[in-house]
Amino acid sequence: MRVFVAVVEAQGFSAASRSLGMPVPTVCRKIAELESQIGAQLLIRTTRKISVTSCGHDYYDDARRILEEVDNAERRASGEYQRASGLLTITAPSMFGRLHMLPIISDFMRLHDDIEARLLLTNHILDLPDGHIDLGVRIGETSTSSMNVEKLGTVRQVVCASRQYLSEKGVPCALGDITKHQCITFSRSGDHVAWTFAGPSRNLREINVHSKLVVNTAEAAMDAVLRNGGLTQLYSYQVASGVASGELQIVLDEFEIDPRGVTFSFPRTQRIPQKLDVFLEFATPVIRQRLLHSAEKCRV
Protein backbone atom coordinates (compact mmCIF):
# COMPACT_ATOMS: atom_id res chain seq x y z
CA MET A 1 0.00 0.00 0.00
CA ARG A 2 2.75 2.45 0.90
CA VAL A 3 4.56 1.81 -2.38
CA PHE A 4 1.34 2.26 -4.39
CA VAL A 5 0.48 5.50 -2.57
CA ALA A 6 4.02 6.79 -3.16
CA VAL A 7 3.80 6.04 -6.90
CA VAL A 8 0.45 7.81 -7.25
CA GLU A 9 1.57 10.88 -5.29
CA ALA A 10 4.93 11.08 -7.07
CA GLN A 11 3.22 10.46 -10.44
CA GLY A 12 5.86 8.00 -11.50
CA PHE A 13 8.00 5.02 -10.54
CA SER A 14 11.35 6.83 -10.62
CA ALA A 15 10.20 9.67 -8.37
CA ALA A 16 8.56 7.17 -6.01
CA SER A 17 11.75 5.10 -5.84
CA ARG A 18 13.69 8.18 -4.75
CA SER A 19 11.17 9.11 -2.05
CA LEU A 20 11.05 5.52 -0.77
CA GLY A 21 14.78 4.87 -1.07
CA MET A 22 13.92 1.75 -3.07
CA PRO A 23 15.22 0.62 -6.49
CA VAL A 24 12.86 1.22 -9.43
CA PRO A 25 12.63 -2.50 -10.33
CA THR A 26 11.55 -3.25 -6.77
CA VAL A 27 8.86 -0.57 -6.95
CA CYS A 28 7.58 -1.99 -10.26
CA ARG A 29 7.61 -5.54 -8.87
CA LYS A 30 5.67 -4.58 -5.75
CA ILE A 31 3.01 -2.78 -7.79
CA ALA A 32 2.68 -5.83 -10.07
CA GLU A 33 2.38 -8.12 -7.04
CA LEU A 34 -0.25 -5.84 -5.52
CA GLU A 35 -2.33 -5.81 -8.71
CA SER A 36 -2.01 -9.60 -8.99
CA GLN A 37 -3.08 -10.06 -5.37
CA ILE A 38 -6.07 -7.73 -5.76
CA GLY A 39 -6.99 -9.02 -9.20
CA ALA A 40 -7.42 -5.55 -10.69
CA GLN A 41 -5.36 -3.04 -12.68
CA LEU A 42 -4.56 0.02 -10.56
CA LEU A 43 -2.18 1.87 -12.88
CA ILE A 44 -1.85 2.33 -16.64
CA ARG A 45 1.79 2.62 -17.74
CA THR A 46 2.97 4.36 -20.87
CA THR A 47 6.49 5.27 -21.95
CA ARG A 48 6.00 8.85 -20.70
CA LYS A 49 3.76 8.69 -17.67
CA ILE A 50 1.42 6.67 -15.51
CA SER A 51 -2.28 7.23 -14.97
CA VAL A 52 -4.54 5.84 -12.27
CA THR A 53 -7.52 3.68 -13.19
CA SER A 54 -10.96 4.24 -11.68
CA CYS A 55 -10.37 1.22 -9.47
CA GLY A 56 -6.95 2.62 -8.59
CA HIS A 57 -8.45 5.93 -7.43
CA ASP A 58 -10.78 4.12 -5.04
CA TYR A 59 -7.97 1.92 -3.78
CA TYR A 60 -5.73 4.97 -3.28
CA ASP A 61 -8.34 6.70 -1.10
CA ASP A 62 -8.83 3.58 1.00
CA ALA A 63 -5.10 2.94 1.27
CA ARG A 64 -4.40 6.50 2.47
CA ARG A 65 -7.07 6.16 5.16
CA ILE A 66 -5.79 2.75 6.30
CA LEU A 67 -2.16 3.86 6.36
CA GLU A 68 -3.09 6.93 8.40
CA GLU A 69 -4.87 4.70 10.92
CA VAL A 70 -1.81 2.45 11.07
CA ASP A 71 0.46 5.47 11.62
CA ASN A 72 -1.82 6.70 14.41
CA ALA A 73 -1.76 3.26 16.02
CA GLU A 74 2.02 3.17 15.87
CA ARG A 75 2.29 6.64 17.38
CA ARG A 76 -0.05 5.68 20.20
CA ALA A 77 1.92 2.49 20.81
CA SER A 78 5.19 4.43 20.92
CA GLY A 79 3.76 6.83 23.48
CA GLU A 80 3.65 9.94 21.28
CA TYR A 81 0.35 10.92 22.88
CA GLN A 82 1.75 10.37 26.38
CA ARG A 83 5.09 12.14 26.06
CA ALA A 84 6.59 14.85 23.90
CA SER A 85 8.50 12.93 21.24
CA GLY A 86 8.63 12.25 17.52
CA LEU A 87 8.77 14.36 14.36
CA LEU A 88 6.97 17.71 14.45
CA THR A 89 6.17 19.02 10.95
CA ILE A 90 5.30 22.71 10.55
CA THR A 91 4.53 24.79 7.46
CA ALA A 92 4.67 28.58 7.23
CA PRO A 93 4.85 31.33 4.59
CA SER A 94 8.45 31.60 3.42
CA MET A 95 9.47 34.98 4.86
CA PHE A 96 7.34 34.67 8.00
CA GLY A 97 8.81 31.25 8.68
CA ARG A 98 12.37 32.45 8.21
CA LEU A 99 11.95 35.57 10.34
CA HIS A 100 9.75 34.22 13.13
CA MET A 101 9.20 30.45 13.13
CA LEU A 102 12.81 29.36 12.62
CA PRO A 103 14.15 31.18 15.73
CA ILE A 104 11.27 29.84 17.84
CA ILE A 105 11.72 26.28 16.62
CA SER A 106 15.47 26.48 17.26
CA ASP A 107 14.87 27.61 20.85
CA PHE A 108 12.20 24.94 21.33
CA MET A 109 14.46 22.15 20.07
CA ARG A 110 17.09 22.97 22.67
CA LEU A 111 14.52 22.20 25.37
CA HIS A 112 13.19 18.93 23.92
CA ASP A 113 15.76 16.31 23.00
CA ASP A 114 13.12 13.73 21.98
CA ILE A 115 11.44 15.95 19.38
CA GLU A 116 12.69 16.43 15.84
CA ALA A 117 11.32 19.20 13.61
CA ARG A 118 10.69 19.72 9.91
CA LEU A 119 9.89 23.26 8.73
CA LEU A 120 8.30 23.63 5.27
CA LEU A 121 8.61 27.21 4.01
CA THR A 122 6.20 27.86 1.16
CA ASN A 123 3.71 30.51 0.10
CA HIS A 124 1.33 27.81 -1.12
CA ILE A 125 -1.40 26.62 1.23
CA LEU A 126 -0.60 22.98 1.97
CA ASP A 127 -3.22 20.46 3.02
CA LEU A 128 -2.21 19.55 6.57
CA PRO A 129 -3.75 16.06 6.92
CA ASP A 130 -2.79 14.95 3.40
CA GLY A 131 0.77 16.17 3.92
CA HIS A 132 1.03 14.65 7.42
CA ILE A 133 1.70 18.18 8.71
CA ASP A 134 1.11 18.90 12.39
CA LEU A 135 0.84 22.69 12.32
CA GLY A 136 0.40 25.46 9.77
CA VAL A 137 0.93 29.21 10.08
CA ARG A 138 -1.78 30.99 8.12
CA ILE A 139 -2.14 34.65 7.17
CA GLY A 140 -5.61 35.84 6.26
CA GLU A 141 -7.00 32.36 5.66
CA THR A 142 -10.50 31.61 6.97
CA SER A 143 -10.86 28.65 9.30
CA THR A 144 -12.66 25.40 8.46
CA SER A 145 -14.60 22.99 10.62
CA SER A 146 -11.87 20.37 10.29
CA MET A 147 -9.22 22.64 11.80
CA ASN A 148 -8.41 24.00 15.22
CA VAL A 149 -7.34 27.64 15.02
CA GLU A 150 -5.26 29.62 17.51
CA LYS A 151 -5.31 33.38 16.90
CA LEU A 152 -1.88 34.98 17.16
CA GLY A 153 -2.30 38.57 15.99
CA THR A 154 -2.63 40.62 12.83
CA VAL A 155 -0.47 42.09 10.09
CA ARG A 156 -1.10 45.07 7.83
CA GLN A 157 -0.82 45.16 4.06
CA VAL A 158 1.28 48.26 3.45
CA VAL A 159 2.81 50.24 0.59
CA CYS A 160 6.35 51.42 1.18
CA ALA A 161 9.46 52.73 -0.51
CA SER A 162 12.95 53.77 0.47
CA ARG A 163 13.28 57.27 1.89
CA GLN A 164 15.85 58.09 -0.78
CA TYR A 165 13.45 57.11 -3.57
CA LEU A 166 10.66 59.19 -2.03
CA SER A 167 12.94 62.19 -1.64
CA GLU A 168 13.73 62.00 -5.35
CA LYS A 169 10.30 61.06 -6.75
CA GLY A 170 7.92 62.54 -4.17
CA VAL A 171 5.59 60.95 -1.62
CA PRO A 172 2.29 59.65 -3.04
CA CYS A 173 -0.69 61.14 -1.19
CA ALA A 174 -3.62 59.75 -3.20
CA LEU A 175 -4.24 56.38 -4.86
CA GLY A 176 -4.04 58.00 -8.27
CA ASP A 177 -0.45 58.96 -7.55
CA ILE A 178 0.60 55.31 -7.80
CA THR A 179 0.52 55.48 -11.59
CA LYS A 180 3.21 58.20 -11.46
CA HIS A 181 5.68 55.94 -9.62
CA GLN A 182 7.86 52.95 -10.38
CA CYS A 183 6.26 49.87 -8.80
CA ILE A 184 7.79 46.59 -7.76
CA THR A 185 5.20 43.84 -7.70
CA PHE A 186 5.24 40.45 -6.06
CA SER A 187 3.62 37.74 -8.18
CA ARG A 188 4.34 34.02 -8.05
CA SER A 189 2.58 33.44 -11.38
CA GLY A 190 3.82 36.53 -13.21
CA ASP A 191 0.22 37.54 -13.99
CA HIS A 192 -1.16 41.09 -14.05
CA VAL A 193 -1.08 42.64 -10.57
CA ALA A 194 -3.60 44.90 -8.85
CA TRP A 195 -3.12 46.33 -5.37
CA THR A 196 -6.13 46.37 -3.05
CA PHE A 197 -7.02 49.39 -0.93
CA ALA A 198 -9.92 50.62 1.18
CA GLY A 199 -12.01 53.46 -0.20
CA PRO A 200 -13.69 56.28 1.77
CA SER A 201 -16.52 53.98 2.92
CA ARG A 202 -14.06 51.12 3.58
CA ASN A 203 -15.19 49.52 0.35
CA LEU A 204 -12.42 47.60 -1.36
CA ARG A 205 -10.82 49.22 -4.37
CA GLU A 206 -8.29 47.66 -6.74
CA ILE A 207 -5.64 49.78 -8.44
CA ASN A 208 -4.05 48.34 -11.57
CA VAL A 209 -0.31 48.60 -11.18
CA HIS A 210 2.18 49.07 -13.99
CA SER A 211 5.09 46.96 -12.83
CA LYS A 212 8.55 48.35 -13.37
CA LEU A 213 9.82 45.09 -11.91
CA VAL A 214 8.01 41.81 -11.19
CA VAL A 215 9.52 39.31 -8.74
CA ASN A 216 8.19 36.05 -7.37
CA THR A 217 9.29 36.32 -3.73
CA ALA A 218 8.68 38.91 -1.04
CA GLU A 219 12.38 38.83 -0.19
CA ALA A 220 13.28 39.93 -3.73
CA ALA A 221 10.70 42.73 -3.61
CA MET A 222 12.23 43.92 -0.34
CA ASP A 223 15.73 43.90 -1.81
CA ALA A 224 14.60 45.92 -4.83
CA VAL A 225 12.85 48.49 -2.65
CA LEU A 226 15.94 48.91 -0.48
CA ARG A 227 17.89 49.58 -3.69
CA ASN A 228 15.58 52.55 -4.33
CA GLY A 229 13.63 50.70 -7.01
CA GLY A 230 10.21 52.17 -6.26
CA LEU A 231 7.00 51.38 -4.37
CA THR A 232 5.93 47.90 -3.30
CA GLN A 233 3.05 46.41 -1.33
CA LEU A 234 3.92 43.81 1.29
CA TYR A 235 2.89 42.70 4.78
CA SER A 236 3.95 44.91 7.66
CA TYR A 237 6.08 42.19 9.29
CA GLN A 238 8.12 41.97 6.08
CA VAL A 239 9.05 45.66 6.11
CA ALA A 240 9.15 46.26 9.89
CA SER A 241 12.94 46.20 10.26
CA GLY A 242 13.45 48.57 7.32
CA VAL A 243 10.88 51.01 8.69
CA ALA A 244 12.40 50.89 12.18
CA SER A 245 15.89 51.54 10.79
CA GLY A 246 14.68 54.54 8.80
CA GLU A 247 15.54 53.02 5.43
CA LEU A 248 11.88 52.54 4.45
CA GLN A 249 8.79 54.69 4.78
CA ILE A 250 5.17 53.50 4.71
CA VAL A 251 2.92 55.60 2.49
CA LEU A 252 -0.82 55.72 1.74
CA ASP A 253 -1.55 54.17 5.15
CA GLU A 254 -4.98 55.84 5.31
CA PHE A 255 -6.06 53.63 2.39
CA GLU A 256 -4.94 50.31 3.90
CA ILE A 257 -7.43 47.45 4.04
CA ASP A 258 -8.27 45.91 7.41
CA PRO A 259 -5.38 43.99 8.99
CA ARG A 260 -5.20 40.27 8.25
CA GLY A 261 -5.25 37.68 10.98
CA VAL A 262 -2.29 35.39 11.69
CA THR A 263 -3.18 31.99 13.11
CA PHE A 264 -1.88 28.57 14.00
CA SER A 265 -4.00 25.88 12.31
CA PHE A 266 -3.85 22.19 13.15
CA PRO A 267 -6.11 19.21 12.38
CA ARG A 268 -9.08 18.69 14.68
CA THR A 269 -8.53 15.31 16.31
CA GLN A 270 -9.72 13.58 19.46
CA ARG A 271 -6.33 13.97 21.08
CA ILE A 272 -3.50 16.41 20.36
CA PRO A 273 -0.07 14.73 20.30
CA GLN A 274 2.12 15.85 23.18
CA LYS A 275 4.81 17.10 20.79
CA LEU A 276 2.30 19.56 19.29
CA ASP A 277 0.74 20.47 22.62
CA VAL A 278 4.06 21.47 24.19
CA PHE A 279 5.09 23.38 21.07
CA LEU A 280 1.84 25.38 21.06
CA GLU A 281 2.33 26.20 24.73
CA PHE A 282 5.89 27.36 24.03
CA ALA A 283 5.42 29.16 20.70
CA THR A 284 2.03 30.88 20.98
CA PRO A 285 2.99 33.62 23.49
CA VAL A 286 6.33 34.19 21.72
CA ILE A 287 4.69 34.66 18.31
CA ARG A 288 2.09 37.00 19.78
CA GLN A 289 4.84 39.13 21.32
CA ARG A 290 6.83 39.13 18.08
CA LEU A 291 3.80 40.33 16.11
CA LEU A 292 3.16 43.12 18.61
CA HIS A 293 6.82 44.16 18.41
CA SER A 294 6.67 44.09 14.59
CA ALA A 295 3.53 46.29 14.67
CA GLU A 296 5.31 48.80 16.92
CA LYS A 297 8.20 49.05 14.47
CA CYS A 298 5.79 49.96 11.67
CA ARG A 299 4.40 52.87 13.67
CA VAL A 300 7.73 54.69 13.55
Side-chain angles (χ1 to χ4, degrees):
M1 281 186 179
R2 290 193 188 278
V3 172
F4 172 72
V5 167
V7 170
V8 173
E9 293 181 346
Q11 301 181 346
F13 290 94
S14 297
S17 74
R18 290 192 294 271
S19 67
L20 294 167
M22 182 182 296
V24 173
T26 304
V27 173
C28 295
R29 177 174 55 79
K30 286 186 177 292
I31 295 298
E33 291 173 351
L34 179 64
E35 290 178 323
S36 176
Q37 180 180 338
I38 294 173
Q41 186 175 10
L42 303 176
L43 301 173
I44 299 173
R45 295 93 159 159
T46 67
T47 55
R48 292 188 175 182
K49 64 177 183 178
I50 65 161
S51 57
V52 186
T53 65
S54 176
C55 176
H57 278 295
D58 292 338
Y59 186 81
Y60 170 78
D61 291 337
D62 290 337
R64 282 298 307 269
R65 176 180 53 78
I66 291 168
L67 289 172
E68 186 172 343
E69 291 176 358
V70 170
D71 290 340
N72 286 335
E74 290 177 350
R75 285 197 293 268
R76 286 193 294 271
S78 67
E80 186 176 290
Y81 287 90
Q82 283 72 46
R83 63 187 180 89
S85 63
L87 176 64
L88 181 67
T89 302
I90 300 168
T91 181
S94 296
M95 196 166 176
F96 190 96
R98 181 172 60 82
L99 292 176
H100 296 298
M101 293 306 298
L102 189 57
I104 290 174
I105 292 172
S106 298
D107 291 342
F108 176 78
M109 297 291 288
R110 284 194 287 270
L111 300 175
H112 296 276
D113 293 336
D114 293 333
I115 297 179
E116 299 173 350
R118 181 171 62 130
L119 178 60
L120 306 176
L121 300 181
T122 174
N123 293 317
H124 297 287
I125 302 298
L126 301 181
D127 187 286
L128 303 187
D130 282 354
H132 298 284
I133 299 169
D134 299 292
L135 183 67
V137 179
R138 305 296 195 222
I139 299 178
E141 183 193 6
T142 56
S143 61
T144 64
S145 59
S146 63
M147 289 288 150
N148 285 311
V149 175
E150 186 75 37
K151 294 182 179 179
L152 303 171
T154 60
V155 293
R156 295 157 54 196
Q157 199 165 19
V158 302
V159 175
C160 71
S162 70
R163 290 188 179 274
Q164 181 177 331
Y165 171 85
L166 294 173
S167 68
E168 295 172 356
K169 304 295 185 179
V171 177
C173 298
L175 295 182
D177 293 342
I178 292 176
T179 58
K180 305 172 186 176
H181 284 267
Q182 297 177 180
C183 293
I184 301 158
T185 56
F186 168 40
S187 173
R188 287 185 292 273
S189 63
D191 294 338
H192 169 76
V193 174
W195 290 350
T196 304
F197 296 93
S201 302
R202 303 306 297 170
N203 54 306
L204 295 184
R205 180 180 173 186
E206 288 193 342
I207 302 294
N208 293 325
V209 176
H210 174 68
S211 304
K212 182 71 172 177
L213 172 64
V214 181
V215 295
N216 66 343
T217 68
E219 292 90 341
M222 272 293 303
D223 288 344
V225 169
L226 289 169
R227 291 177 178 273
N228 311 314
L231 304 178
T232 195
Q233 187 179 59
L234 293 170
Y235 285 126
S236 52
Y237 80 85
Q238 295 170 328
V239 306
S241 294
V243 173
S245 69
E247 294 177 278
L248 300 179
Q249 179 179 333
I250 293 174
V251 298
L252 302 171
D253 52 326
E254 65 268 36
F255 301 105
E256 290 176 13
I257 62 174
D258 292 337
R260 295 193 172 191
V262 182
T263 59
F264 276 151
S265 293
F266 51 99
R268 193 182 298 277
T269 57
Q270 289 185 339
R271 299 179 67 187
I272 299 177
Q274 280 294 306
K275 62 182 181 180
L276 177 57
D277 197 32
V278 296
F279 181 79
L280 289 171
E281 184 178 357
F282 177 87
T284 300
V286 181
I287 282 286
R288 286 174 176 161
Q289 187 59 42
R290 279 176 163 267
L291 286 172
L292 287 173
H293 185 56
S294 177
E296 288 296 325
K297 287 182 176 181
C298 286
R299 294 192 182 100
V300 174

